[in-house]
Amino acid sequence: MTDESGTRVPSAEAVGEVGATDGHTEAVEVFFDDLDAFGMLYHGRFAALLERAITRYFAGLGMSLGHPDLNVVVRELLVVFERPVTRIGPVDVTFRLGRLGRTSAEFAFRIHSGEHTHAHGRRVIVKIDPRTAVPEPWTDKTREILERDLVSLR
C-alpha cells in the first residue's frame, strides 16, 4: 500500500492491527519529560510506553526482573505513527500475541486514547540464556499464559 505521496506504507495486516477486543490493555503514564520541544510525545518514547505496559502486565502475573522467561532481547520493532500525543497523563496500550515461536514472540500493539490511535505496530522478542546470549525455549507455563491471555479474540 502507498500513501498520497507514493511512499510505501505497511498494511494493517502487515503490522497486525489491534482491535478494541484484542489481547490486553494497560494504562501507562506520559510524563512531561517524554514530550519534545513541540509539546508532542517524542517518537522514541513510544517504545518506552510499550515496554512499560508489557512490563506491568508480566508484573501482574508475578513475573519480575530475573524471571527466566523475562530474559529477552528485542529483535524487531515497527511503529506506525498516526496521531501525536500532546498531553501528559495516561494513555492506553493494547497488545496481543501475534505469533509464539519456540524461542520468540511477536506482539501486535496499539497506543491509544479512547478511540484515537496514536501509533500501532509490532515487536518481536527472543528469549535468551543471559549467560550465553543464545536463544532458549519458553517455559511451558509462560507459553500457556501467553496463549491464554494474549491471543486475538477475532
Side-chain angles (χ1 to χ4, degrees):
M1 169 173 31
T2 58
D3 66 12
E4 58 278 354
S5 69
T7 303
R8 191 165 192 295
V9 178
S11 67
E13 292 110 15
V15 296
E17 190 149 328
V18 176
T21 60
D22 285 339
H24 180 80
T25 300
E26 288 284 345
V28 294
E29 289 292 317
V30 173
F31 300 103
F32 177 76
D33 61 349
D34 292 326
L35 305 180
D36 65 15
F38 299 108
M40 296 185 286
L41 182 67
Y42 176 68
H43 72 276
R45 302 304 293 162
F46 282 86
L49 294 179
L50 176 61
E51 192 67 41
R52 289 176 194 162
I54 291 175
T55 299
R56 185 173 290 155
Y57 166 77
F58 281 111
L61 297 173
M63 299 168 69
S64 59
L65 291 177
H67 186 282
D69 280 335
L70 294 184
N71 295 317
V72 299
V73 293
V74 176
R75 182 182 189 321
E76 178 182 341
L77 177 64
L78 171 70
V79 182
V80 178
F81 301 100
E82 299 290 345
R83 177 188 204 121
V85 175
T86 57
R87 62 176 177 72
I88 60 173
V91 295
D92 289 325
V93 179
T94 301
F95 52 94
R96 67 170 170 79
L97 184 65
R99 187 184 69 75
L100 184 61
R102 190 175 75 78
T103 64
S104 65
E106 178 181 327
F107 294 90
F109 67 89
R110 181 169 71 104
I111 298 171
H112 55 102
S113 299
E115 295 303 311
H116 300 293
T117 297
H118 300 290
H120 59 95
R122 78 171 171 261
R123 181 178 92 147
V124 178
I125 57 173
V126 177
K127 179 186 170 193
I128 62 166
D129 178 321
R131 294 178 317 277
T132 63
V134 172
E136 68 178 15
W138 300 104
T139 62
D140 290 340
K141 181 172 173 110
T142 295
R143 179 177 292 282
E144 178 184 311
I145 290 168
L146 292 175
E147 289 174 339
R148 180 193 69 217
D149 288 357
L150 298 180
V151 172
S152 173
L153 300 178
R154 294 183 223 194

